[in-house]
Each structure stands twice: as structure tokens, then as C-alpha cells.
Amino acid sequence: MPSSGRASVRSTSTASAASSPAAPPEPEAASPPGRKHEGGKHGGGKPSGGKRSNGERPAAPRPFGQREQPLLARRTVAGQVFTLQVLVVLLLVAAAALALVLQSGHDSTVEARNRSVAVAQTYANSPGIVPALRSPDPTAILQPSTEQVRVKADVDFVVVMNTDGIRYTHPLPDRIGKKFVGSISPALAGQVVTENITGTIGPLEQAIVPVRDSDGTVVGLVAAGITISRVSGAAERQLPVLLGATAGGLALATAGTALVSRRLKRQTHGLGPAEMTRMYDHHDAVLHAVREGVLIVAGDGRLLLANDEARRLLGLAEDAEGRPVTEIGLDPPLADMLASGQVVSDEVVLAGERRLVVNTRLTDRAGGPPGSVATLRDSTELLALADRADSARGRLRLLYEAGVKIGSTLDVTRTAEELAQTAVPQFADFVTIDLMEPVLNGDEPTPGGSLQMRRTASHGIRDDAPLYPVGQPITFVDSTPQSRSITSGRAQVAPDLGASAEWQAQDPERAARIVEYGINSLISTPLRARGVLLGIANFWRLERAEPFEEDDLSLAEELVGHAAVCIDNARRYTREHVMAVTLQHSLLPRHLPEQSALDVAYRYLPAQAGVGGDWFDVIPLPGARVALVVGDVVGHGLHAAATMGRLRTAVHNFSALDLPPDELLGHLDELVNRIDQGEAGAEAPLTGATCLYAIYDPVSRRCTLARAGHPPPAVVRPDGTVEFAEVPAGPPLGLALLPFEAVELELAEGSRLVLYTDGLVEDRTRDLDVGLELLRTALSSAAHTPDQTCADVLGSLLPAKPEDDIALLVAQTRVLPGEHVAEWEVASDPAAVSGVRAEVSRQLAHWGLDEAAFVTELILSELVTNAIRYGTGPIKVRLLLDRVLICEVSDTSSTSPHLRYAASTDEGGRGLFLVAQFADRWGTRYTGTGKVIWTEQPLG
């Protein structure tokens, strides 16, 4: 309890306990390298000079004087496995016990802390505690209730104190009136404080919570605490289960080890590990290390074993073993010879395009199993010479195809892919292209800069090669063939990747998988153009007898040399294109702002060539209104894009003044005229631009529109009827001929307003009227969601090759519910302000915004008072509940209020300053009958 002293205070803020470390997983047993052959299938049993009885060889005799060891002796494999299992079980049990103890202590501390915080916060926020603290005798009121809470909440104490730490309540009455022992400074600052202390009743957790009055001032403190021993005890309940699991694990380990040991002895016929290892090594060396094909055929004509060379010579499938030799795809003469079981010496047999020398011997001599062993030797020298001639012709054909296929586009990535596709499979089985990072972005690599590359293209005869994937960043180490080729500027060959330690140093783990996959040789050739390194091309071979040789380097360099020039051309084009696209994207909206009046979807499609000047915008306005803008600057290129950016910025600035659409277009027209006059010159083109500006009010459902030479907007009614709004066209921006006119439409909820640029409905092959009718048809059959409407419209009207930018904006109207709008008319009498405050307070309570009542009443009091004092009637007050709380005060005066800083001797002049401090935003907009002063307050 806190009254017992300040001993062992460990923390003054809530902290999370560290998780108990988990036991590391046991490593899996590694399997021996090479192929595994069962004794019955491949002759893996122990050799013996006598005949077998019942299909088994007699067990090998044990050396003289050697005693048979018990199953679980420490020197046996079973004994060692059993010892390891026991150690693992004991280690896991010890880790589990430690984790259980630590977790139990942590859970007890957290539970005690949470319970003390919950009790203290509940009591601090209970009704009546603030009046009780301000009463003449707080102890008389609070002591009974705190004791009742302490008993029901099962905590050790609940103490209420003033801001000086003097106790008003305590389980021990003699401690009342004394100073509380604990850290109360953070609580006085409004924080919740938890402490772990050791008192007279043992370790405990106590929480100190501030008590606030209605304006947030801390007027007192509530402390609650509970000893950790009350919530502990989980470890004792779980310990018997843990011990039982330990005993069960040890029993299963003993039984399993004994069963495995007996099974191993039966399978190996009593052979020891050394004999088994020696037999396996000799067997594997004989079958797979020789450069002759070896086939073992059973007496019934089934293929029992084929080594790697035999598989290569005969082209055997993976599942050939175990099938009759007449059914594994061999030529009939060779298949009949192997199935006959006859002895053959140096018989020449044609197998596909190979001439093989075949020898067969029977295996049933000296008591062996029935069957035969055949050896195969390739003697196709003449075919090898023919292959060389074909290879030379193939290289010439490959160079011709490279000149035709590589460089068909001005795309860096596509050009790299064309190089990879051209070289496979005529020259390599796999080709990977790695380009410098600046090249992919269209930049020229800086000499002496970083040599980090990115895998840009990869192509091969199979899709499962363990090479670096496309997109992987790569930095080659100095010893690799790739790095040597970059340094020397010449192609480098690695004919045997399995024996190349320099190449394997790049990524030993991946290198092992590549070699195991079968890739055996590599040529790395730098991609250079105009003396600048662009990247590197890697050619890989798989499952070929002949690796890459020095003669292949010249072909690789010729291929890569042509591709490097194409890649450099594509890089320079990419640089120009990226600059244009970057400028274009930087001048368009990155995302639509949040608002509740409209559900908006858009599409922007640039022209195939050049940068256009189409733009669009969605701009939230005061009073829950939203402005929609679509514009088009005539022409293409950087000048059009720059002008579009200036006009878009100007629209944002004019919208901030809350101008009507026709006035805004008038200011925009004047701006364009000044731009043309300021940039007049022989090479400076005149600016031609069109614009459509609309403002939608979700309260009145009215939409005000004006346009300057822009195509008319389409309105899709909720019933699916489509009409084009009759908005006066007005002249294009910059002509300053006639004033602009605005029209007002009333839109039903769910109507869709479609704004677009002329690139959607007009091109060289289609007149504007035809495009508008196609648009009407597409909108009448489109779905009711704005996004689907955009998709359907583009699907119906989008040209195959757009020559102009296309901007499409679809906005579906929403209506602010009537229950979210409250409006009052105020008499021009200062006494009416109090009535407005009362009405506003009731309305906010109805909306569940009681916490905002004080600030809202203050704001409206100042605004209504100013309207009564300086404005003219009628005066109206309107509240809108949207994403924010909007307050509006309107009158018929055109005088705009100004914020100023009042001097210390001024009696007034602080009203708008207070409004600006309490409101998130505020401002003034003018109407046809006067002005509206508005404020916005966040709801959260």
C-alpha cells in the first residue's frame, strides 16, 4: 500500500514487458551428397561369395573378439540419437519452464496494472466526484464510496487526494490527511501514472489518475493499487502438465530409438557405418564417375539402373528405370539387344544420331542375380565434325536474326528482352541482361559512379532456372567474370562454373543451386556504346556436353555490340519521354480531396506523342460545396503543359476567394490575356484555352456552371435520361471579347454530372456532333457508379490512337440530409444572442456533439453580435453537420469583417481573433443579397 513507504519504486509510466525468448529450432539432419540407391534395386547390399537363401545374403561375420553392443549403448548410432533426443527434450522443458515462470510474472504484473488503472479511471470519471472534492468535507462524502469500490473491485486501496497530494480517503482512517507517497507530478499534468512499488504488504502496482472538471482542469487525483500476489498462480497450475509432458516425451524417445535401431540393422544386414560408406562411395564412383554409359537390365528385361552418361547418350526419361527396355524410347535394334540377355562384344549400334559401341555381360555368374550389364561408348566423330559446320552456319544465321529483331522499338527494357530472346536457344540456353540503374531511367551512367545494376531481362528454355529474377538489384564482386568483363571491356568466359570459385564468390548459396540445376558455363559481355558502360549480358548453357569456348566470345561480342547501340538509342529516347511525363504528372492532381457532396471518378489519358495541356480539378469550398473544373490548353509540348499548370494554380487561387463561376472565368480570361502579352514574340505561341467551372451545393441541390469555349457538360438523371446542359458557350480564354454567363441547375440526388475535354468526342475522323451522340449513347447504357461510367465511356469513345489528351470527370451528386441542417432567423437585437445560443446548444445535443457546444456558442455569439452591430437585417444562422461542423451567419451587408489585434486598453476588437483561434477555418463569401461569414470546426 502507498502509505507504507516509498521503497523499490521501479517505474513512473506504463511499460510493456519483454516477450520470453523462444527455444531455437533443432537443425534438420543433412542427407549425404550424391545419388541414393536402395540395396535391392541397385545391388547396394553387402557382397558375399555364397548363394543367397530366400532372397537374402547371409549377414557378414563379426570380427573375432568383438562383442555385440546393446541397442542403446553410447557408442552406437541409436545410443547417440537417444542421448541427443533426451538433451533436446530436457532443453525444451527447461526453456518452457523458464518461459512459463517469466510469462506468469509478466501477466500478473500487467493484470495488476490494468486493474488498478481501470479502477482509478472509473472512479475519477464517476459523476459527483468533482463536487465532492469542492465540498467542505470531501472525506465524509468520498470515504464510504471508495471503500465500497475497493471491496467490489478486489483491490487493496482506493485513495482520493487533492492536487497537493493530501489524502481524503484511505482504508486506514489514521492515514487520512497525510501526504500521499508516490509520483503525482505527471498526473497533475494530465497523464495516467503507474508505479511498481514494494510496500508493507509486498510488491504491488498502483495507478494515479487525474480528476478533471468540465473545462479540463485537474482538480484532484485518484490512486488505486493491488498486490501482484492476488493475480499470480498460473505457473503452479501448469507445472504438473509440463512435467507429465516431459515424462511422455522421454518415453516416446526411448521407444522410438529402439524401433529405429532394430529397423536399421535389418535393412543393412548387420553392416557397420564404415562398410556402408565405403560400399556407397565405390558404387557411386563406378556408376557415375566413368565417361561410359552403364545400363543394368534385370532377367525379365526391366531397366534397373542407368548412369548419367547412359542417360545422356540415349536421351532417357527420368522415369525410365523400372520399365522394360523395349518401352523406354530406344531404337529397336538396341532395345532388342539389351532385352535378349546375350553376351555382346564391341557391337556398333546406331542410336539416334550417335554411333555407340555396346558391350554386355551377364550378372548371374558366381551366384549373382539374373540379368546383364551393358556399357556404351560414343564414337560419333564424323557427327562432331558435321556439328561444327552446322554451328558455323547457325552463328551467321543468328547474327542476321539479331540485326532484324533487336531494336524494333525505342524501349530500353523491350530491346534487352529482344537480345535475350534472339540468343535462345541458338547460342545459349539462358540469357540474362543487367543494365545500370541510370540507363533504365533514361540517364547516362556517370564514369566512376556506382556499378549497381538491375536484372532487366531474362529468357531461357525453361522457366524454373535459379538465376536472379527480373528486377533484382545486383552489384558484382571483383572476382566474378562479370566484374572482369566490365574492367577489361572484353567478354569473359567461365567454362566450368562448378569449379569456378571466383564466380561462386558472388552468391555461394545461389551458385550451388545453379550448378545443381545443371548450368555449367557462362559468357559475360559488357554492353558499351560510345565508350559508356550500359550494362552486361550473360549467356548460360545447360545440359550440353560442350561448354562455352574462346571461339564463342567473338559471337557474343558481335551480338552485344549491336544490341548496345539499340539500347543507347532507346535510353536517350526514354530520357526525353520521362522528362515530358514527369512534367505532365507533376501538374495534374495526385489524388482527389475528401468531400461529401459528390462521388467522383476520373480518367486522364495522354496523347501518344507529346505532352498535352488538358487538366481537371475537384476543389472543396466552404458550406460543404464542391467546385468541378475541366480545362484544355490548345496544342502540345512543354509550353502547353506549363500554361496548364499556371491556369490550374490560378483556378485554385480564385476558388479560395469563393467567386461565382462567371466571375472566376472573367479573372482567368484576364490572366491568359496578360500571359499572351507578356510572352509576345516571334517564337512564343499565343495561348488558347477553354475551361468549364461548376459549383455544386449539396444542401440546395443546385449546381452553378459557366464555360469558356468548352464542350457542354452532360447530365445523367437518376432515371437514365441524358441531356447536355444549355450553358452559354462564352469565348475561349484570352480573347476578352464578351462577359461570361452562368446558369443554375437543380440536380436530383444520384444525378451524374459528366465533364470532359474535346479529345474524347472529337478527332480527325469524327465530328463533334457525332462524338456527342456517341457520348449520349454510352452514358444512357452505363452503370450507375462513376467509376464504371468512366470505363464504359472510354470503352465506347476512345480512339485506337488518341491524338489529343483526354480528361473525363464523372461526379454523382449527394444531398446533405435535412436533419443535418439547422437554420434560424435572428432579430436585430443584442438580446436575441442568448436565444440563438440556447437553440444551438439543443441542436448540438440532438446531433450528439455536446462537447462542441461551448466553442460553437462562443463563435456564434461573436459572429451574430457583429452582424447585429455592423450589418443589416435580416440576419440568419445556419448549422451544417458534414465532415466538419459548419457555422454560417448571413446578412444583407457587403461590409467584410477584418481580423485585428486589439490593444490592451481597447474594450473590444477581440471577437474575430477568438473565432480564428477556436475555429479550424473561417472566412467570408459574398452572395447576391449580401455576405456569409462561415467557420469550420473538426468533429473529432
Side-chain angles (χ1 to χ4, degrees):
M1 296 176 65
S3 58
S4 60
R6 190 189 291 267
S8 303
V9 176
R10 294 188 302 183
S11 173
T12 60
S13 61
T14 305
S16 59
S19 302
S20 300
E26 290 294 327
E28 296 180 358
S31 58
R35 285 195 176 185
K36 297 182 179 180
H37 306 285
E38 296 182 2
K41 184 176 180 181
H42 296 161
K46 182 176 180 180
S48 173
K51 295 186 178 181
R52 296 176 297 167
S53 176
N54 297 328
E56 293 186 359
R57 295 180 183 272
R62 188 176 297 105
F64 179 76
Q66 179 179 347
R67 295 183 300 170
E68 183 176 2
Q69 293 181 331
L71 289 177
L72 301 182
R74 287 187 303 169
R75 294 181 179 272
T76 64
V77 174
Q80 295 173 357
V81 171
F82 174 72
T83 303
L84 177 61
Q85 288 180 336
V86 171
L87 291 176
V88 170
V89 170
L90 293 178
L91 179 61
L92 292 177
V93 169
L98 177 60
L100 178 61
V101 172
L102 294 177
Q103 186 65 35
S104 177
H106 170 260
D107 291 345
S108 299
T109 302
V110 172
E111 174 64 21
R113 183 184 303 125
N114 292 341
R115 190 184 300 181
S116 61
V117 170
V119 172
Q121 285 184 330
T122 302
Y123 194 82
N125 295 323
S126 61
I129 188 171
V130 175
L133 288 171
R134 292 176 174 172
S135 65
D137 190 1
T139 301
I141 299 174
L142 298 175
Q143 177 69 6
S145 61
T146 56
E147 287 302 295
Q148 185 179 6
V149 170
R150 178 180 66 82
V151 173
K152 290 184 177 181
D154 194 20
V155 296
D156 288 291
F157 65 86
V158 178
V159 174
V160 182
M161 68 195 84
N162 62 13
T163 56
D164 295 326
I166 304 301
R167 302 187 186 94
Y168 288 145
T169 67
H170 198 279
L172 302 178
D174 60 337
R175 305 294 175 87
I176 297 175
K178 297 181 179 179
K179 190 172 181 62
F180 177 78
V181 179
S183 300
I184 66 173
S185 298
L188 292 175
Q191 301 178 12
V192 176
V193 182
T194 61
E195 294 182 321
N196 186 305
I197 69 173
T198 301
T200 57
I201 60 175
L204 59 86
E205 286 283 338
Q206 71 176 13
I208 306 172
V209 176
V211 179
R212 302 175 183 269
D213 60 4
S214 59
D215 62 354
T217 305
V218 177
V219 298
L221 304 174
V222 176
I226 182 173
T227 55
I228 297 175
S229 60
R230 285 194 179 212
V231 291
S232 62
E236 291 80 356
R237 293 192 300 271
Q238 298 180 14
L239 189 57
V241 177
L242 181 62
L243 295 178
T246 303
L250 292 175
L252 289 176
T254 304
T257 303
L259 291 176
V260 170
S261 178
R262 290 200 174 107
R263 179 66 177 172
L264 286 174
K265 295 195 72 173
R266 283 201 306 270
Q267 291 293 331
T268 61
H269 304 288
L271 294 178
E275 294 174 273
M276 290 293 296
T277 301
R278 185 170 61 253
M279 181 180 297
Y280 173 80
D281 292 341
H282 292 171
H283 176 271
D284 191 66
V286 170
L287 290 179
H288 303 290
V290 297
R291 295 299 295 172
E292 287 191 358
V294 178
L295 300 175
I296 299 179
V297 182
D300 57 359
R302 290 181 298 107
L303 178 63
L304 296 181
L305 174 66
N307 70 347
D308 295 341
E309 185 68 9
R311 289 179 178 275
R312 186 187 69 82
L313 294 176
L314 301 178
L316 297 180
E318 293 292 335
D319 59 347
E321 295 179 355
R323 296 165 54 189
V325 293
T326 56
E327 300 178 3
I328 59 176
L330 302 179
D331 291 341
L334 178 59
D336 294 340
M337 179 185 299
L338 296 176
S340 66
Q342 299 178 357
V343 176
V344 176
S345 297
D346 296 332
E347 185 76 20
V348 179
V349 179
L350 186 64
E353 297 182 354
R354 299 181 184 275
R355 295 180 180 274
L356 303 179
V357 178
V358 182
N359 290 272
T360 62
R361 294 294 182 270
L362 302 179
T363 59
D364 58 357
R365 298 178 180 178
S372 61
V373 176
T375 59
L376 311 173
R377 186 173 65 254
D378 189 6
S379 61
T380 321
E381 297 179 358
L382 295 178
L383 291 178
L385 295 176
D387 287 343
R388 292 183 181 179
D390 290 341
S391 177
R393 288 193 297 269
R395 293 183 177 186
L396 294 176
R397 184 169 56 252
L398 177 60
L399 291 175
Y400 173 77
E401 292 180 0
V404 173
K405 295 180 179 179
I406 300 175
S408 62
T409 65
L410 287 174
D411 182 82
V412 172
T413 301
R414 180 57 191 156
T415 305
E417 292 172 349
E418 289 172 347
L419 170 59
Q421 293 168 0
T422 302
V424 175
Q426 293 92 329
F427 181 60
D429 296 313
F430 297 93
V431 176
T432 57
I433 309 298
D434 307 321
L435 297 181
M436 304 285 286
E437 290 282 0
V439 174
L440 297 174
N441 299 326
D443 300 327
E444 183 172 315
T446 303
S450 173
L451 292 179
Q452 184 177 20
M453 301 186 184
R454 187 172 296 275
R455 178 67 37 97
T456 307
S458 179
H459 187 66
I461 59 175
R462 287 159 59 179
D463 298 331
D464 57 346
L467 302 170
Y468 285 125
V470 173
Q472 173 81 28
I474 306 172
T475 302
F476 294 105
V477 299
D478 295 338
S479 63
T480 59
Q482 292 91 338
S483 181
R484 295 200 307 270
S485 68
I486 293 173
T487 304
S488 63
R490 305 288 298 175
Q492 299 290 323
V493 61
D496 187 0
L497 296 180
S500 176
E502 296 83 1
W503 169 75
Q504 296 177 10
Q506 174 70 30
D507 189 342
E509 181 179 354
R510 187 178 293 272
R513 284 191 285 146
I514 292 175
V515 173
E516 183 180 0
Y517 184 81
I519 296 177
N520 53 24
S521 59
L522 162 69
I523 286 181
S524 295
T525 307
L527 283 156
R528 289 182 176 273
R530 299 178 294 104
V532 178
L533 176 67
L534 305 178
I536 192 167
N538 302 293
F539 303 91
W540 315 79
R541 277 190 178 171
L542 168 72
E543 296 179 351
R544 294 193 181 189
E546 71 283 358
F548 283 118
E549 300 175 350
E550 294 293 332
D551 294 340
D552 297 316
L553 295 179
S554 59
L555 176 60
E557 289 178 345
E558 290 186 34
L559 276 174
V560 172
H562 172 70
V565 174
C566 297
I567 289 176
D568 187 57
N569 292 336
R571 176 196 64 78
R572 287 186 284 180
Y573 173 79
T574 300
R575 178 182 58 190
E576 302 298 331
H577 182 68
V578 167
M579 291 174 58
V581 171
T582 301
L583 175 62
Q584 187 179 43
H585 287 179
S586 66
L587 298 177
L588 291 173
R590 297 182 182 273
H591 55 82
L592 297 182
E594 295 183 357
Q595 44 83 29
S596 302
L598 298 169
D599 183 12
V600 182
Y602 68 92
R603 296 291 190 274
Y604 183 84
L605 300 176
Q608 286 191 342
V611 179
D614 291 15
W615 91 93
F616 64 92
D617 250 320
V618 179
I619 307 172
L621 298 177
R625 299 168 305 140
V626 176
L628 300 176
V629 190
V630 172
D632 182 7
V633 176
V634 178
H636 294 83
L638 296 179
H639 181 268
T643 303
M644 177 265 286
R646 298 165 74 175
L647 295 182
R648 180 170 175 255
T649 302
V651 170
H652 271 269
N653 293 334
F654 293 147
S655 297
L657 300 176
D658 214 341
L659 299 175
D662 51 344
E663 292 186 23
L664 185 142
L665 291 181
H667 287 289
L668 202 61
D669 178 70
E670 184 180 356
L671 173 64
V672 174
N673 192 29
R674 288 201 304 269
I675 292 176
D676 286 340
Q677 292 177 359
E679 296 181 355
E683 299 181 357
L686 295 178
T687 301
T690 64
C691 183
L692 172 62
Y693 189 84
I695 298 177
Y696 174 71
D697 188 348
V699 179
S700 63
R701 296 186 291 107
R702 293 188 176 276
C703 182
T704 307
L705 307 95
R707 63 187 179 117
H710 202 81
V715 178
V716 185
R717 302 294 181 183
D719 59 359
T721 59
V722 182
E723 62 182 22
F724 291 96
E726 296 182 359
V727 183
L733 298 175
L735 299 182
L737 296 177
L738 298 172
F740 299 97
E741 298 182 45
V743 297
E744 192 174 81
L745 304 177
E746 184 171 341
L747 302 178
E749 183 176 7
S751 300
R752 280 170 286 158
L753 189 63
V754 181
L755 286 68
Y756 52 91
T757 55
D758 58 358
L760 179 67
V761 295
E762 187 179 16
D763 59 19
R764 294 181 179 178
T765 62
R766 184 172 60 199
D767 292 336
L768 178 61
D769 293 339
V770 176
L772 292 178
E773 285 303 316
L774 292 175
L775 177 60
R776 184 194 301 271
T777 303
L779 290 174
S780 62
S781 60
H784 289 289
T785 62
D787 192 74
Q788 187 61 42
T789 301
C790 290
D792 290 346
V793 168
L794 291 182
S796 301
L797 280 79
L798 183 65
K801 295 182 178 180
E803 299 177 355
D804 193 6
D805 293 0
I806 296 175
L808 175 63
L809 195 64
V810 179
Q812 186 167 357
T813 61
R814 298 173 181 166
V815 175
L816 193 65
E819 58 270 17
H820 287 189
V821 180
E823 191 171 5
W824 303 274
E825 187 166 343
V826 183
S828 297
D829 184 0
V833 176
S834 60
V836 173
R837 288 201 301 265
E839 291 291 339
V840 169
S841 180
R842 282 192 294 270
Q843 184 63 46
L844 293 179
H846 175 69
W847 286 342
L849 301 176
D850 302 84
E851 295 181 357
F854 175 77
V855 174
T856 306
E857 290 178 16
L858 176 61
I859 291 174
L860 286 177
S861 295
E862 297 296 337
L863 296 182
V864 173
T865 301
N866 282 347
I868 293 173
R869 182 176 300 175
Y870 303 110
T872 58
I875 300 172
K876 293 183 180 180
V877 174
R878 186 170 74 164
L879 291 183
L880 302 178
L881 179 59
D882 193 35
R883 293 177 180 267
V884 295
L885 179 62
I886 303 171
C887 302
E888 295 181 348
V889 177
S890 61
D891 57 47
T892 58
S893 171
S894 60
T895 303
S896 176
H898 296 281
L899 178 67
R900 69 185 184 88
Y901 294 92
S904 58
T905 58
D906 292 344
E907 295 183 1
R910 299 175 178 86
L912 285 181
F913 180 78
L914 292 176
V915 170
Q917 294 298 313
F918 285 105
D920 193 26
R921 296 174 60 217
W922 77 281
T924 304
R925 73 172 183 269
Y926 294 94
T927 64
T929 59
K931 69 175 183 300
V932 176
I933 304 177
W934 55 268
T935 65
E936 292 181 359
Q937 300 168 238
L939 296 179

